[in-house]
Amino acid sequence: MIVATKTLAVVPSLLAGDLSRLGEQLDQVKAAGCHWISVDVMDGHFVPNLSFGPDFVKLAKKKGFCVDTHLMVTNPLQVAPWFVEAGTDILTAHIEAVEEPVAALKKIKSLGVKAGMAVKPKTPVDGLIGCLAECDLALVMTVEPGFGGQKFMADMMPKVAALRAAIDAKNLECWIQVDGGVNAVNIAQCAAAGADSLVAGSAVFAAKDPAAAFRELELKARAAFKPQQQP
Ligand code: DX5
């Protein structure tokens, strides 16, 4: 019997949204069935860009979305409470920015939210596999973090496959998220490798019709995703 651990989700990233009409764009993707939005937080140190504060999480929550906050900052545990206060459902820190990943995940969960851990392209996946038991979400960056609209790094797929094997072998409940350059051409490859949370910024919000773009991405990803095989 095949039991999908959870339905796969396409997760539009606010980074690519049009700030002059973000509310309207969120309504568009919501109407297309989107229920999860990713908010990229950048501090200009950990990555060479500055982006959003907690108010953008509040906007997405006000629109009725599940929100994951992707902290691309050097001090994730210090700023975490601000985003919990704003209502985020999931907080993802980078393994490169924490002393001890397991302790960091426990600290995030102690704030009452789901805990995620991310790896940059140059960081091996081993550290992430080592803390999976504490992880609600494992994020594999498929671009060097900092900017939207970059080229997808297909050579990150073995990391996704390794995470899928480790999670299925231990029957863990953990999303595998990919983020960066995901589009209609490569999303099936991400889902086939085992990712079940697919962040897409430009592919959704830079499209002429974000709702149609979202639906196309979801269709392609769902067709390619092989749910966990239960005995
Ligand atoms: C890191 C950001 C981006 C963004 C997705 O740079 O995390 O990856 O969310 O942007 P696109 O989908 O346009 O690459």
Side-chain angles (χ1 to χ4, degrees), residues 13 15 40 42 70 72 141 143 145-149 179-181 199-202:
S13 156
L15 193 71
D40 288 311
M42 302 177 181
H70 176 193
M72 288 166 271
M141 290 305 294
V143 293
F147 297 90
D179 174 3
V199 175
S202 321

Side-chain angles (χ1 to χ4, degrees), residues 187-216:
I187 198 164
Q189 187 183 2
C190 298
D196 53 3
S197 171
L198 303 117
V199 175
S202 321
V204 175
F205 288 128
K208 248 191 342 294
D209 179 345
F214 172 82
R215 277 192 294 267
E216 182 193 15

